[in-house]
Amino acid sequence: MSPTTAAKFMRFAAIMSLLSALLFATGAMQDPTGILSRFLAIIIPGSEGVSGIATPEARVGFAIAGGVFAGFMVMLYMITAPAIERGDKVTIRASIAALLVWFVVDSGASIAGGAPLNALSNFAFLLFLLLPLIWIRKQDAGQNS
C-alpha cells in the first residue's frame, strides 16, 4: 500500500478506535447506551455488565482507560498518519512499539484479571491499527531512520 493510502487507513482506524474508546469511557456514567454492558458480558463470562461493577473505583477506571486509549488514537491520527505520508521511519517504528506495548500490557492484565476474551478483542484492534504501519510499500517509504 502506498504511504498516502496507508496514512488514510491509519486515520480511519484511529477514528473508529477513538469512537470505541469514547464508548468505553461511558462506563464512568453508568453506560447510557448499554453497549459497554453487552461488551463486558461477552468478554467476561457471567458478567452483569457495568451494573455489576458500578463502584466509584470502577467508574474512574473506565474513565481513565477510555481517556488514555482516546488520547492514543488522537496521537495516531495527528502524528503517526502524517509520519507515514512523510516516510518517517523513526515515528513509524515508535508507533509500532507503542501499539505492541499497549497490547501486551492490556491483554496480559486482562488475562490475569479473568477476562481473556478482552485479549482477543485487543488483537483485532492491534491488527487494524498495525496494518497501515506494516503494509507500506518499501520503495515508497522515506529515508528517515
Side-chain angles (χ1 to χ4, degrees):
M1 128 181 358
S2 74
T4 301
T5 302
K8 287 178 183 177
F9 189 99
M10 177 55 77
R11 287 184 180 99
F12 172 74
I15 289 169
M16 293 296 103
S17 299
L18 173 62
L19 295 174
S20 171
L22 295 175
L23 184 64
F24 194 80
T26 66
M29 301 174 282
Q30 290 300 308
D31 191 25
T33 65
I35 294 172
L36 182 57
S37 286
R38 286 191 288 283
F39 172 73
L40 291 174
I42 292 169
I43 66 164
I44 305 169
S47 172
E48 297 173 35
V50 173
S51 64
I53 53 173
T55 64
E57 295 84 1
R59 286 189 198 143
V60 77
F62 283 124
I64 291 168
V68 169
F69 198 63
F72 189 24
M73 294 308 104
V74 170
M75 184 209 69
L76 291 177
Y77 185 92
M78 297 183 76
I79 296 173
T80 302
I84 292 169
E85 288 174 320
R86 291 190 312 270
D88 180 346
K89 291 180 182 179
V90 172
T91 302
I92 291 168
R93 280 194 304 265
S95 298
I96 291 170
L99 284 165
L100 293 174
V101 167
W102 157 76
F103 176 76
V104 169
V105 171
D106 189 319
S107 297
S110 293
I111 292 166
L117 289 178
N118 188 55
L120 185 60
S121 70
N122 287 346
F123 186 70
F125 273 105
L126 179 67
L127 288 179
F128 188 50
L129 295 166
L130 277 180
L131 285 177
L133 296 168
I134 60 176
W135 280 0
I136 304 166
R137 285 196 314 251
K138 298 289 184 205
Q139 66 270 24
D140 290 336
Q143 302 305 313
N144 298 346
S145 51

